Amino acid sequence: MSVALFPIALEHTTMSQEPSNEADRAPSIGELTPPDRTLMGPGPSDVNPRVLRAMSTPLVGHLDPSFVEIMDEVQELLRYTFRTDNRWTIPVSGTGSAAMEAAIGNVVEPGDTMLVPTNGYFGGRMASMARRAGGDVVEVSAPWGEPLDPDDVADVLAEHDPDVFGFVHAETSTGVLQPDVAELTAAAHDHDALVIADTVTSLGGVELRVDEWDVDVAYSGPQKCLSCPPGASPLTLSDEAMEKVLAREEAPRSWYLDLSLLEGYWGDERAYHHTAPVTNVYALREALRLVAEEGIEQRWARHERLAGALKAGVEGMGLEMNAPEEYWLPSLNAVRVPEGIDDGAVCDALLERYDLEVAGGLGDLDGEIFRIGCMGYSARPQNVVYTVTALGDVLESMGADVDPGAGVTAVRENLD
């Protein structure tokens, strides 16, 4: 009897190995081979090989004693880069927008009034996050492509007496660097408002002094001037700001980004809150080590020098910058699109012909500017020369009135 059943059992086993329908078939996907681009857009920037090597080192647990030491080192390096002594200085697990939401979602309580800028895309994102946190949003107006005027800020502060004032230090959508930061913070503090600064495109690339400028909260992203893959994003809070967070009557609407809970993990206790992105913290540590080795002021100077050569090159070929010299942002160069040229077609051609990434405009400047980054490991002489050469070639081939040779000559003269 058992012998007679054996062929039937074997036949059943063989048949079960065949997928019954398409959904049961295992996907056939090849090895990962992304293109080797030169990243000169608004982010991410090229990653230093040392940072990539750090990411390939062995994983440890997020509560491992060795990782706790790494956490301490990352916090120390972040304080140096932010130019602050703030105890509450951490990398938030997530992209720069997570750090942004942690800042606004914890500091802004339901019923609070937050003053936000209107002069760029990311001021609008501040407003959206403040509303989601239950805040009442008022705006201080300035055209896209211009900084906030301290007198206008003072007037709106006097009229609305907000609890929180936010501004974008380096507006990625317009290529504008906000000057007069200390004037803005002084005006806000005269009305007992806490100040939140978006430093996503400035940290590690242009002058930023959190303590000296009296900024209460600053957040950033690692993928821009720090040249680190996104995943662990810098955030710093003053004692006054953290006191407000810890004194809240109503918990923030995000459990994951609740700083009163994250304090247990990044503070002295080192208690479990979530599984930190260990590899991203490794990467951030190495990226910040590179900042410290170079020296923060030397790093600011390098960005200004190389972006200045890039600016000279695009102007030398006949293009115009979007921002005037007095508030030009070295880490993100907004260049006016020549008349009759499709910015999207130019960006596509640069990718196809040169494996070079730049970007078009956002929001009010959609179709009007190219956004060309000069950040971190991307801010190197060879990248600047390559970008100006490629951009000039593509624009000329599309009929733009440019002189590519003059642009390259201007770059080289500024790099000598």
Side-chain angles (χ1 to χ4, degrees), residues 100 116-118 120-129 131 168 171:
M100 183 181 194
V116 299
T118 63
Y121 183 88
F122 292 97
R125 185 172 291 185
M126 274 189 164
S128 178
M129 288 187 180
R131 290 189 185 99
V168 181
E171 179 52 78

Side-chain angles (χ1 to χ4, degrees), residues 132-149:
R132 287 171 179 255
D136 298 320
V137 170
V138 296
E139 296 177 341
V140 55
S141 297
W144 279 48
E146 295 184 14
L148 299 179
D149 184 298

Side-chain angles (χ1 to χ4, degrees), residues 37-287:
R37 309 286 200 201
T38 299
L39 300 178
M40 296 293 285
S45 59
D46 288 343
V47 177
N48 190 295
R50 278 177 46 181
V51 175
L52 294 175
R53 285 197 296 271
M55 296 184 76
S56 68
T57 55
L59 204 68
V60 297
H62 57 287
L63 294 173
D64 188 291
S66 66
F67 190 66
V68 170
E69 291 182 15
I70 290 169
M71 294 167 71
D72 291 337
E73 293 166 347
V74 169
Q75 290 180 281
E76 182 181 0
L77 288 163
L78 277 175
R79 292 185 188 103
Y80 171 76
T81 306
F82 270 123
R83 311 310 296 132
T84 185
D85 291 325
N86 286 343
R87 176 186 177 191
W88 311 104
T89 303
I90 67 170
V92 175
S93 298
T95 64
S97 293
M100 183 181 194
E101 190 145 30
I104 295 172
N106 281 270
V107 174
V108 177
E109 300 180 66
D112 279 356
T113 298
M114 182 172 178
L115 176 60
V116 299
T118 63
N119 63 331
Y121 183 88
F122 292 97
R125 185 172 291 185
M126 274 189 164
S128 178
M129 288 187 180
R131 290 189 185 99
R132 287 171 179 255
D136 298 320
V137 170
V138 296
E139 296 177 341
V140 55
S141 297
W144 279 48
E146 295 184 14
L148 299 179
D149 184 298
D151 291 336
D152 291 343
V153 172
D155 289 344
V156 181
L157 286 164
E159 179 181 356
H160 294 279
D161 197 31
D163 302 282
V164 182
F165 165 55
F167 73 96
V168 181
H169 183 223
E171 179 52 78
T172 316
S173 65
T174 64
V176 167
L177 179 66
Q178 177 65 47
D180 310 314
V181 171
E183 289 186 48
L184 298 181
T185 59
H189 291 145
D190 284 344
H191 293 269
D192 296 323
L194 292 173
V195 177
I196 300 178
D198 179 317
T199 66
V200 169
T201 310
S202 55
L203 180 66
V206 298
E207 184 179 10
L208 171 65
R209 302 180 186 274
V210 165
D211 285 0
E212 185 177 326
W213 295 347
D214 215 7
V215 173
D216 295 293
V217 183
Y219 59 83
S220 191
Q223 76 278 11
K224 301 211 176 193
C225 297
L226 298 181
S227 283
C228 180
S233 299
L235 174 67
T236 186
L237 295 92
S238 67
D239 287 344
E240 292 78 9
M242 199 62 187
E243 284 171 11
K244 185 177 192 299
V245 171
L246 296 176
R248 290 178 62 116
E249 294 183 3
E250 180 180 321
R253 296 179 181 182
S254 171
W255 176 90
Y256 183 68
L257 298 175
D258 184 341
L259 292 176
S260 69
L261 301 178
L262 288 174
E263 186 276 331
Y265 181 56
W266 284 99
D268 295 335
E269 191 177 353
R270 299 299 195 212
Y272 170 72
H273 175 262
H274 68 282
T275 302
V278 172
T279 298
N280 290 98
V281 175
Y282 289 172
L284 183 60
R285 177 184 181 276
E286 190 63 18

